[in-house]
Amino acid sequence: MPPRTRVLMADAAGIEEAARLLGGGGLVAIPTETVYGLGCDATDPRAVAGLYAAKGRPSFNPLIAHVPDVAAARGVGRLTPAAEALAAAFWPGPLTLVVPAIEGATSELARAGLASVAIRVPAHPVAQAVLRAAGRPIAAPSANRSGHVSPTSAAHVLADLDGRIELILDAGPSAVGVESTIVDCTGPVPVLLRPGGLPRAAIEAVLGGPLANAPPPSAGAAEDDPAPRAPGMLASHYAPSVPVGLGIGEVRPGEALLTFAGARPPGFEQAVARLDLSPAGDLVEAAANLYAHLRALDGTGARAIAVVALPSHGLGEAIADRLRRAAAPR
Ligand code: AMP
Ligand code: MG
C-alpha cells in the first residue's frame, strides 16, 4: 500500500492519471452519481484482492463491474431480453443488472465465484471518462471501510481510506447519494435484489409486469451490504466437485493439498497434487489465487481437497469464509 493517498481534481489530467493507475492494478476512488466508488481492474484478481483488503471486508462479496456503455456490458455478461430492455431504458443510470457472466471477462474473485455478474453503466461524466480511458471493466463497491457508511464526497473517502488506496478523484458531492437498484435478470422473472436510486415502478413499467422480490436478508448480512441475501442465494458460488476439508491435521491417501506459506502438514508427501496459495505467506496473494487453485486441484482427479488452516487476520477471514462455502455439503 502507498504511504499517502493523493487527491486530484477530476479534470482531464486527473482522469488520465486515474486510468493509468487502474490499468496498473491500482486502487482509485471515483465519483459516480450514486456514491463514491473504490475502483480497480475487475479482470485482475490481485487488484481485486487488494480492494477487499483496503475495505477490510470480512467476506468476498460479489462486486459490480462498471462499464461505459451497453456495448461494453455485452462483453462482460450475456444480456437477457429483460436485461436488454432495462439497459435501453435506464443506462446510463443508477441501475445494476445481474446476468450470466461471460467467463474470463471479469475475474472470479470480483464475482466471488458466482457464474453471474452484476453490471452497471454509471451516468456521472467523470465515471464515464475514467471507464472509457481505462478500457476495461472496473469493479467498484462504495469507497468506505467495511461497516462504515457509503461516502458521498472525496473528504469522506479520505477519512476512511487514506494511505490504503492510491488516488481519490474529487468531483464534489454525489448527486443521488444512495446505491443503485439491483435487478437479477438471470431467471425467467426479473428479481429486485436491492432497492436503490431507480424506483421499482419505473422498472416494472418497462418490463410490463411485476418484479419478483428477493428473499429477506439473512441474519449475518454485512452492515454495508444492503443487498438482500438468503442462505440459498449464494448457493451457486464456485465449489469444487469433490469434498473440501478445512484446517486438516493430516493428508490422507488420494487427497490433493492446498497450503499457505509453505506449510507441510503430516502426510504432505502423499498428496496427489499440491498448490500453495502464497508461499511467501501474503494473504492478498492468497486471495488472488484462491479460485484458480481450487479449480486446478479439483481437476486433478483427487478424491478430496485438504486445506491447511490459514491465519485469521486481514483477508484470512474472507478466504476462510469462501473456503467454508466451498466445503459446505451440497
Ligand atoms: P455495492 O456494495 O453497492 O457495490 O453492491 C454490490 C452488491 O451487488 C452486493 O451486495 C451483491 O449482493 C450484489 N451483487 C453483485 N454481483 C452479484 C451477482 N452476481 N449476483 C447477485 N448479486 C450480486
Ligand atoms: Mg457500501
Side-chain angles (χ1 to χ4, degrees):
M1 274 302 136
R4 294 246 354 246
T5 297
R6 284 184 298 151
V7 181
L8 289 178
M9 256 175 48
D11 55 13
I15 287 163
E16 192 181 318
E17 178 65 355
R20 190 186 68 78
L21 289 167
L22 288 168
L27 303 179
V28 178
I30 51 176
T32 83
E33 72 275 27
T34 57
V35 301
Y36 273 70
L38 179 56
C40 79
D41 181 351
T43 69
D44 177 354
R46 256 197 157 271
V48 174
L51 185 150
Y52 287 124
K55 278 189 64 95
R57 274 209 167 167
S59 67
F60 298 144
N61 296 341
L63 305 175
I64 297 171
H66 292 70
V67 291
D69 52 38
V70 67
R74 292 189 192 111
V76 170
R78 286 193 289 110
L79 268 55
T80 56
E84 285 283 357
L86 294 175
F90 300 117
W91 278 353
L95 173 68
T96 295
L97 298 173
V98 174
V99 297
I102 291 176
E103 202 51 54
T106 50
S107 76
E108 267 190 305
L109 193 63
R111 304 196 308 270
L114 294 171
S116 57
V117 62
I119 313 175
R120 184 164 97 86
V121 174
H124 196 291
V126 172
Q128 277 281 328
V130 170
L131 292 172
R132 285 189 194 284
R136 68 197 70 206
I138 298 298
S142 54
N144 53 279
R145 304 279 320 251
S146 186
H148 294 190
V149 297
S150 297
T152 52
S153 74
H156 293 166
V157 180
L158 192 65
D160 248 26
L161 296 173
D162 192 13
R164 306 175 74 88
I165 65 177
E166 269 82 5
L167 176 67
I168 300 168
L169 267 193
D170 186 354
S174 303
V176 177
V178 320
E179 281 87 352
S180 59
T181 303
I182 305 180
V183 176
D184 182 348
C185 296
T186 57
V189 179
V191 180
L192 181 67
L193 293 184
R194 174 177 78 185
L198 183 68
R200 169 200 284 268
I203 297 168
E204 292 181 332
V206 167
L207 292 174
L211 282 162
N213 291 314
S218 67
E223 204 182 323
D224 75 331
D225 172 14
R229 11 171 96 219
M233 181 177 154
L234 297 173
S236 59
H237 272 271
Y238 174 70
S241 60
V242 297
V244 177
L246 300 183
I248 50 106
E250 63 172 334
V251 184
R252 286 167 306 187
E255 289 184 343
L257 176 63
L258 185 61
T259 56
F260 176 77
R264 287 170 166 255
F268 168 84
E269 324 72 35
Q270 63 179 324
V272 300
R274 294 191 290 259
L275 284 174
D276 198 294
L277 288 168
S278 170
D282 174 358
L283 286 165
V284 174
E285 181 181 27
N289 285 330
L290 179 64
Y291 289 109
H293 280 17
L294 277 177
R295 241 177 236 288
L297 293 178
D298 196 19
T300 60
R303 64 171 184 80
I305 300 172
V307 187
V308 300
L310 277 99
S312 55
H313 64 267
L315 285 188
E317 191 182 350
I319 295 169
D321 170 76
R322 280 300 174 258
L323 283 168
R324 270 194 301 277
R325 290 178 196 276
R330 272 151 280 140

